[in-house]
Amino acid sequence: MKKSAKPGAERVKQGSGPEGICRELGLKLTPQRLAILEYLDGNTAHPGAEEIYEAVSGRFPGLSLATVYNTLASLRDKGRLLELAIDPAKRRYDPDTKPHHHLICVACRRIVDIEHTFDLEIPDALRMGFEIKGNEIGFYGRCPDCKKTDARKQKRDLRQGGAYVRRP
Amino acid sequence: MKKSAKPGAERVKQGSGPEGICRELGLKLTPQRLAILEYLDGNTAHPGAEEIYEAVSGRFPGLSLATVYNTLASLRDKGRLLELAIDPAKRRYDPDTKPHHHLICVACRRIVDIEHTFDLEIPDALRMGFEIKGNEIGFYGRCPDCKKTDARKQKRDLRQGGAYVRRP
DNA sequence: ATAAATGCAAAGCATTTGCAGTAAA
DNA sequence: TTTACTGCAAATGCTTTGCATTTAT
């Protein structure tokens, strides 16, 4: 296991690492929860519940899908996990809760993070009285792989300008 | 392929209006379809399938939910309707297919269009080799109504910075 | 001991699909 | 006629829930 809990040798940073996160959020340290958090830690694939379940089940047989959903809901409610609504087929999760944007491949649905801050000065006239707290940009296009592969199968593209227009 | 219907009588603007749209897309002019298109025409509420069904059923009893789904799928596949993946609970539809952005109320889920073009120069280093075709910005915050009403019930907010963090 | 978490199965919704009947072209 | 569309119901697929049992603290 990757659990080098050597006292003194490795300091548990506040809220860092599966255990730190559970303690910080007041959640019990169950092996299932820790395994899920470990899988999510640093994960940039924006996995769905099923994928998380499959992946964690490997190292942790007996895990229940319901537990995965329960855990994801807790983390999301505590603000420790972002639940993305980018994919209409299922919810995807992002452990990176810092504000950032996404590159979305319209062909294979791959989602890549963009850690960059854009200056989005929105004219007052367009705010419609809204009290804006944040923003998220989705850049739609084709990833390097799909750019080569499906050059002409564009009929299968999923999105265009931010919204689905076709389905596979 | 554009065939101008009856010249002289009533001028049907190309692709405008329920009938024009059906003809342009090569879809049969069924009363159900026309009723749905009429409801969608100019609609800025970003309704879901169920809402469309309820609304159109009023004027058109006997309409089937399946037909609504079928129609929405056709229009979406033909590029005449945008299928939004902003709301994790259900797909929402937007008849405005021109590139635009959205203001999303984290409290009541209201979605308002922003017809404005932002200059989103994305650094090459951040493109990750993607061939970007478009973008869509979601501005999250509180609409005028919710700003007054739920000032302190912030625990119920749905999103933050573009992704769900809590649920109702 | 107690409150919380797990697992399993049974719901719950939104969306899709199969098909026979129906209507548009 | 021919082909597409409609409607109903059954079927999916993702997510939630109820509840008895187990486990962390």
Side-chain angles (χ1 to χ4, degrees), chain A residues 28-64:
Chain A
K28 290 185 177 177
L29 284 71
T30 69
Q32 294 87 336
R33 191 121 72 190
L34 294 175
I36 292 172
L37 278 167
E38 197 173 296
Y39 172 72
L40 248 22
D41 185 52
N43 185 310
T44 60
H46 308 83
E50 186 74 43
E51 291 155 82
I52 295 172
Y53 170 68
E54 290 300 338
V56 180
S57 288
R59 334 179 209 171
F60 198 98
L63 174 68
S64 165

Side-chain angles (χ1 to χ4, degrees), chain A residues 3 8 20-21 36 45 51 62 72 80 83 114 136 141 151-152 158 161:
Chain A
K3 184 182 185 267
I21 292 177
I36 292 172
E51 291 155 82
L72 295 177
R80 204 58 204 229
E83 188 173 84
I114 297 183
E136 204 261 288
R152 46 242 115 97
L158 284 182

